[in-house]
Amino acid sequence: MNLQGATALVTGSNRGLGRHFAVELLKRGAKVYATARRPELVDVPGAEVLRLDITDPASVEAAAAAAGDVDVLVNNAAFMTGGNLVTGDLTSIRLAMESSYFGTLAMIRAFAPVLARNGGGAVLNVLSGAAWQTVDGNTAYAAAKAAQWSLTNGVRLELAGQGTLVTALVPGMIDTEPMREFAAAHGYELPDGALDDPVNVVTLGLDGLEAGEAEVVHGFAADAKAALSGPPLALDPDAISAA
């Protein structure tokens, strides 16, 4: 997948990793639709800004109609603070699944015909190492990301026939506003180096996409995936360091 001259749409571009994706795609010569539920908060010079709520079917369909030239879809938007499954607020738990799983699925279903018309293109789904190693305080998010990982593997098979590459980016903990807000809310004392540079994560993800990789795994996520052959383990954010 050559990003020079491509047309990309990035969800959740108003802050965090999504904004970095939009900026880096522009640097690589792509046209970029930077989207967010509140488009007035998007600050990405050179991008075309669209309103998009991935949990609202009408909003998703409107984005697909407005961005008919897209050949790269970056599914980044997600609700990060779902809480714990047994004791957490059920509305927040549902929102975690609605954004990471059903929202991602809605975007892929809406844009699959667009990608097919434009030659196949690519989908990059932003996952998390929490899919393989849950963390106390946000087990709902981990469950949603595990479901999104399985979704990614499923749509990769389904879209192969139309020539669409589907890449999973599975990072560890990233130095973004949502991550720091979560750590502060739960009293985690993150050691130096625990949070990876978001520019580095974005670079790895887009490099992997351009190389045609099915999965790009980085940071503690690599160890978490390797540990799946053993007994289930919980993540201790206080003890982790970036790889």
Side-chain angles (χ1 to χ4, degrees):
M1 183 71 210
N2 186 4
L3 294 174
Q4 175 70 42
T7 300
L9 183 143
V10 182
T11 65
S13 300
N14 57 303
R15 66 173 186 165
L17 208 62
R19 185 180 186 281
H20 287 288
F21 265 114
V23 170
E24 180 61 24
L25 282 161
L26 287 165
K27 288 181 181 178
R28 295 189 186 212
K31 172 184 174 181
V32 175
Y33 292 100
T35 74
R37 286 181 298 162
R38 296 181 59 189
E40 69 275 11
L41 298 181
V42 176
D43 178 21
V44 183
E48 183 171 337
V49 179
L50 294 178
R51 182 192 176 278
L52 173 61
D53 180 350
I54 65 170
T55 67
D56 177 359
S59 180
V60 171
E61 291 300 327
D69 54 344
V70 164
D71 52 11
V72 178
L73 173 63
V74 180
N75 287 310
N76 162 77
F79 183 71
M80 187 173 178
T81 53
N84 275 347
L85 289 163
V86 177
T87 58
D89 176 69
L90 192 56
T91 299
S92 293
I93 293 169
R94 289 186 183 279
L95 187 53
M97 189 65 74
E98 284 290 340
S99 60
S100 286
Y101 184 81
F102 288 108
T104 298
L105 179 58
M107 289 297 294
I108 291 172
R109 287 169 64 98
F111 277 90
V114 176
L115 296 174
R117 288 195 303 269
N118 294 330
V123 176
L124 177 64
N125 286 346
V126 180
L127 309 181
S128 169
W132 301 321
Q133 211 168 83
T134 195
V135 57
D136 189 22
N138 211 359
T139 54
Y141 174 76
K145 285 300 180 181
Q148 191 185 29
W149 178 53
S150 185
L151 176 156
T152 303
N153 294 334
V155 299
R156 182 181 297 114
L157 293 176
E158 295 183 38
L159 296 180
Q162 70 174 40
T164 300
L165 168 69
V166 177
T167 298
L169 172 60
V170 194
M173 296 192 297
I174 310 169
D175 192 0
T176 61
E177 298 96 322
M179 184 66 242
R180 289 197 173 276
E181 289 167 2
F182 170 76
H186 293 275
Y188 288 123
E189 296 288 340
L190 299 174
D192 291 341
L195 299 183
D196 202 358
D197 183 348
V199 175
N200 182 42
V201 173
V202 165
T203 299
L204 288 169
L206 294 181
D207 285 350
L209 188 75
E210 289 200 297
E213 296 181 21
E215 199 167 77
V216 180
V217 183
H218 182 64
F220 89 82
D223 292 334
K225 188 176 185 183
L228 288 176
S229 59
L233 298 174
L235 170 67
D236 180 5
D238 288 340
I240 202 165
S241 62

